[in-house]
Amino acid sequence: MPELPEVETTRRGIEPHVLGRTVKAVIIREDRLRWPIAPELQQCITGQQVDRVERRAKYILLGTSAGQMMIHLGMSGSLRVLDEDVPPARHDHVDLLFDDGKVLRFRDPRRFGSMFWLSGSGHFLLDDLGPEPLDPAFTGDYLFHLSRKRKVVVKSFIMNSHVVVGVGNIYANEALFRVGIRPRRAAGRVTRTEYETLAAAIKVVLTEAIAAGGTTLKDFVNESGSPGYFRHDLKVYGRGGEPCLTCKKPLKEIRVGQRQTVYCSNCQR
DNA sequence: ATCGGGACCTGCTTGC
DNA sequence: TGCAAGCAGGTCCCGA
């Protein structure tokens, strides 16, 4: 799924279609997601007008005056805007029907996604999250101080949502390549200067990916069912064994935290 | 407190 | 061709 750029692409895509619209009905065909969909979700949001379409970390938040609906796309989820008479297909688990005859349709083959209704302000999944990577509060200085004496490898460190949200496997690989840091280096052994370049690289790679409409490896589609195009700009992810685009040496492919990890042993130290 | 590994689930690719 | 194993973009939770 969906890392931050794909979630943001989805948020921007659905916003003009759902903002100001009222939810006419909710259809839940499959409630067994990462966590079961609470039965009260239906009655809580039905009749409510969407007045905000926001994103926090990889959650999409549909705000109403009564509370907000929180949607996570998991590994294989997507949200599309369709006419309500379009028949659902396999894995189309939830529909939000709006007053203009459109439907916001949630599809998620692997069911790692989730859906919650928040009547109050917070939620346990939103507590203790790190800063947004594109927020000015996310800096190299912040990473440097947080990482002192940490033995975890730097790739896992920047993928930890308590450290910074939204950096998934693809963009962690890409950012580390861009700044020449090996993914297995201990987080506590990365210098202040390196963290400054790393924080900047994370911002750049995420921003570029959002501009390209996200990365589609297999599942990801935006609100109108189209893929993202950042895949063509990936420098290392999925290129293990192929020549480094900088020095031509074959890229190494290893496992870090059970995730596919690709780097250049010559360019990254 | 920190870290690594297992778990959740389906579908596609790979190798025998 | 057929089947089983392996793997996939997330992230919570557990035990060490």
Side-chain angles (χ1 to χ4, degrees), chain A residues 21-268:
Chain A
R21 301 255 67 102
T22 296
V23 178
K24 196 168 64 177
V26 180
I27 298 170
I28 300 174
R29 297 183 197 84
E30 173 61 81
D31 63 3
R32 296 173 302 161
L33 303 184
R34 170 84 197 263
W35 289 278
I37 299 175
E40 61 265 29
L41 174 76
Q42 248 162 331
Q43 66 178 72
C44 286
I45 197 168
T46 300
Q48 297 296 327
Q49 184 182 41
V50 176
D51 58 21
R52 285 168 293 129
V53 181
E54 298 172 333
R55 179 188 58 75
R56 171 70 175 118
K58 294 174 188 168
Y59 294 97
I60 288 173
L61 302 166
L62 302 183
T64 76
S65 59
Q68 52 190 338
M69 185 172 173
M70 184 163 97
I71 304 167
H72 198 292
L73 301 178
M75 290 270 262
S76 58
S78 64
L79 285 172
R80 288 167 303 145
V81 177
L82 303 162
D83 291 324
E84 68 178 15
D85 56 6
V86 175
R90 191 161 155 75
H91 306 305
D92 285 343
H93 304 314
V94 179
D95 283 354
L96 286 194
L97 277 63
F98 290 96
D99 54 352
D100 62 347
K102 298 286 185 183
V103 57
L104 184 66
R105 181 161 289 167
F106 176 77
R107 171 180 297 181
D108 185 9
R110 289 176 68 184
R111 290 195 271 125
F112 280 12
S114 54
M115 234 173 243
F116 295 92
W117 176 256
L118 282 62
S119 51
S121 51
H123 187 276
F124 75 97
L125 291 172
L126 297 177
D127 293 340
D128 306 319
L129 286 179
E132 289 287 331
L134 300 179
D135 191 277
F138 176 66
T139 63
D141 198 50
Y142 163 82
L143 284 178
F144 176 74
H145 286 295
L146 197 59
S147 62
R148 291 310 86 185
K149 297 185 181 171
R150 295 284 291 267
K151 294 193 171 107
V152 68
V153 300
V154 63
K155 178 167 179 257
S156 300
F157 181 68
I158 60 171
M159 288 177 66
N160 182 342
S161 62
H162 298 289
V163 174
V164 58
V165 300
V167 182
N169 196 35
I170 295 177
Y171 301 110
N173 277 296
E174 294 299 310
L176 289 167
F177 173 76
R178 289 184 181 215
V179 297
I181 299 172
R182 286 197 190 189
R184 273 192 178 146
R185 187 132 47 107
R189 294 295 193 86
V190 176
T191 68
R192 180 192 292 269
T193 306
E194 286 175 322
Y195 272 125
E196 281 164 8
T197 61
L198 180 56
I202 288 170
K203 290 172 192 280
V204 168
V205 73
L206 293 178
T207 302
E208 289 177 358
I210 292 169
T215 299
T216 297
L217 297 177
K218 200 164 78 65
D219 294 314
F220 176 73
V221 290
N222 67 12
E223 83 294 341
S224 51
S226 308
Y229 295 101
F230 195 69
R231 183 175 191 167
H232 307 296
D233 298 299
L234 298 177
K235 307 273 194 283
V236 288
Y237 187 84
R239 297 194 62 245
E242 295 178 36
C244 169
L245 295 174
T246 303
C247 75
K248 312 297 185 213
K249 277 192 65 174
L251 295 170
K252 301 265 190 199
E253 184 167 338
I254 59 174
R255 304 287 294 179
V256 173
Q258 297 141 288
R259 313 299 292 277
Q260 184 194 131
T261 302
V262 185
Y263 72 103
C264 176
S265 58
N266 184 44
C267 297
Q268 292 170 257

